[in-house]
Amino acid sequence: MSVYDHYRGHEREFVDLVLNWIDHVEATYTFKLTDFLDPREQQITRELVGTKCALFFEGGFEGAERQRALIAPDYYELDANDFDIAIYRIHYPTKFVELSHRQVTGTLLNVGLKRGKFGDVVIQDQIVQFAVAEDVASYIEVNVERAGKTKIRLSRVELEDQLKIKEQEWQEELGFVSSLRFDTVVSEVLGFSRQKAQSLIKQGESKVNYKIVEDPSFMLEEGDLLSLRGTGRVKLTAILGSTKRDRIKLQYGLLKG
C-alpha cells in the first residue's frame, strides 16, 4: 500500500513536502523549521515523521492553533529560540474601531505575506496580537500601516505580555444523515436547508480541514473539521455505523462561542 492511500488527493502535494523534509534531515543531520502549519498539516506531519526523527511544535502563543514544526535528528536538544517566532500587537483607535480576525488576516495577506508566514491572530478585550515568522518581521514593520481604512501601529510583545488563547469548548451532539456529502452533513448539523447549504459551499464560504471546498458533493471522513463563515465550526468526531434504514449515525462537536 502506498503512503498516499492514507490521504486525500489534494493532500498529496503536502505529503511530498513532508517526505522531502524528512529526507533532508536524515541526509544532512540538521534540523528543518517549517512555516506555520494548520492542525491538519500538523497531524499529517506527525504521522509521516513517526519515530524517524524528533519533532517539535510551537505557535508563539500558549494553545496556538497554527504552529511551526521543527524536524530534527533524534538526539537534537531543542532551544526555544529555534522556532524564530515574533509576536506583535496592533495599536489602533479602540474607541472608534473594532478589529476582527478576518480584517487582521486580510491586512497581512494584502501586504504580500503567504498564509504560512504568520500564525494565530488573538483578540481579547480589544487587544490584538498575532504571531509571525522572524524572517518577515522587519518586512511587516515597514509595510503594515493600515487595517482597512484605519491607521495602525505595530509593537513587539514581550513574553510576559503575550495573550493566552482560551481553551475551546465543544458541545457534543449525535445526528443521522443519508450520506457523508458535504452539503448533506452541513444541512443536518447546522439546521440549514439543503439548498442553502449548497449555496454557501459553492460561494466559497466553507472549509474542510482549513481548505476552501466549493464542491457540495465532497465526501467527508471521520475527524474532519468543517467551518462555514458566520456559523462556527463542526468537528466530525466519529462515524458510528448505519441504521436499518441506511442512515449514517454521526457523533460531532459544535464549537461554542
Side-chain angles (χ1 to χ4, degrees):
M1 179 181 289
S2 168
V3 65
Y4 300 112
D5 294 337
H6 299 284
Y7 303 99
R8 291 181 168 122
H10 70 271
E11 293 175 331
R12 288 192 172 195
E13 183 177 351
F14 183 74
V15 169
D16 283 337
L17 191 59
V18 178
L19 293 176
N20 286 335
W21 293 339
I22 296 169
D23 287 344
H24 171 79
V25 172
E26 292 181 326
T28 64
Y29 301 100
T30 57
F31 70 76
K32 167 63 183 178
L33 178 63
T34 74
D35 284 342
F36 287 92
L37 307 179
D38 65 43
R40 174 57 179 165
E41 292 169 334
Q42 294 169 38
Q43 178 186 348
I44 293 173
T45 303
R46 285 191 184 93
E47 292 170 352
L48 293 174
V49 171
T51 58
K52 298 175 183 176
C53 304
L55 179 62
F56 309 93
F57 289 97
E58 177 59 56
F61 296 104
E62 183 178 334
E65 183 175 80
R66 291 179 176 268
Q67 301 188 38
R68 304 188 81 173
L70 190 147
I71 306 170
D74 55 12
Y75 54 80
Y76 187 77
E77 294 186 11
L78 181 68
D79 185 314
N81 294 321
D82 288 340
F83 287 102
D84 283 344
I85 296 173
I87 305 295
Y88 281 91
R89 177 175 177 175
I90 297 179
H91 300 270
Y92 63 103
T94 56
K95 289 185 179 180
F96 309 104
V97 177
E98 183 175 346
L99 293 182
S100 67
H101 289 81
R102 187 178 177 186
Q103 286 175 308
V104 176
T105 298
T107 295
L108 297 174
L109 292 173
N110 287 339
V111 297
L113 287 188
K114 293 181 179 180
R115 188 60 187 90
K117 288 298 181 184
F118 62 96
D120 286 14
V121 175
V122 183
I123 302 177
Q124 294 175 12
D125 299 325
Q126 295 186 304
I127 297 175
V128 181
Q129 297 180 0
F130 63 91
V132 65
E134 189 67 60
D135 61 344
V136 297
S138 59
Y139 176 82
I140 68 164
E141 289 177 7
V142 172
N143 290 280
V144 176
E145 298 178 337
R146 293 182 177 276
K149 296 181 179 180
T150 304
K151 189 172 180 57
I152 62 174
R153 179 175 62 83
L154 300 182
S155 67
R156 286 240 188 180
V157 179
E158 299 301 324
L159 180 62
E160 61 270 18
D161 295 322
Q162 292 176 11
L163 295 175
K164 289 183 172 57
I165 298 174
K166 296 177 182 178
E167 186 175 351
Q168 296 179 337
E169 294 185 37
W170 295 86
Q171 177 180 323
E172 291 295 327
E173 301 283 353
L174 292 174
F176 297 87
V177 292
S178 57
S179 81
L180 292 174
R181 280 175 53 116
F182 193 11
D183 58 349
T184 302
V185 173
V186 167
S187 177
E188 164 63 28
V189 303
L190 295 178
F192 292 161
S193 68
R194 184 80 172 270
Q195 185 177 11
K196 182 177 180 181
Q198 290 179 348
S199 177
L200 287 171
I201 293 167
K202 289 179 179 178
Q203 291 171 11
E205 298 289 328
S206 54
K207 296 180 180 180
V208 178
N209 298 330
Y210 306 90
K211 301 294 186 291
I212 292 175
V213 173
E214 299 179 344
D215 179 7
S217 66
F218 183 84
M219 298 303 291
L220 300 175
E221 299 175 359
E222 185 172 294
D224 282 344
L225 179 68
L226 323 179
S227 57
L228 279 81
R229 185 171 295 165
T231 61
R233 294 180 174 182
V234 179
K235 181 165 55 179
L236 300 186
T237 51
I239 297 173
L240 302 174
S242 301
T243 67
K244 293 180 179 179
R245 296 185 178 182
D246 291 328
R247 300 272 290 175
I248 301 170
K249 186 176 183 180
L250 296 178
Q251 179 179 340
Y252 60 91
L254 296 173
L255 183 60
K256 295 182 178 181

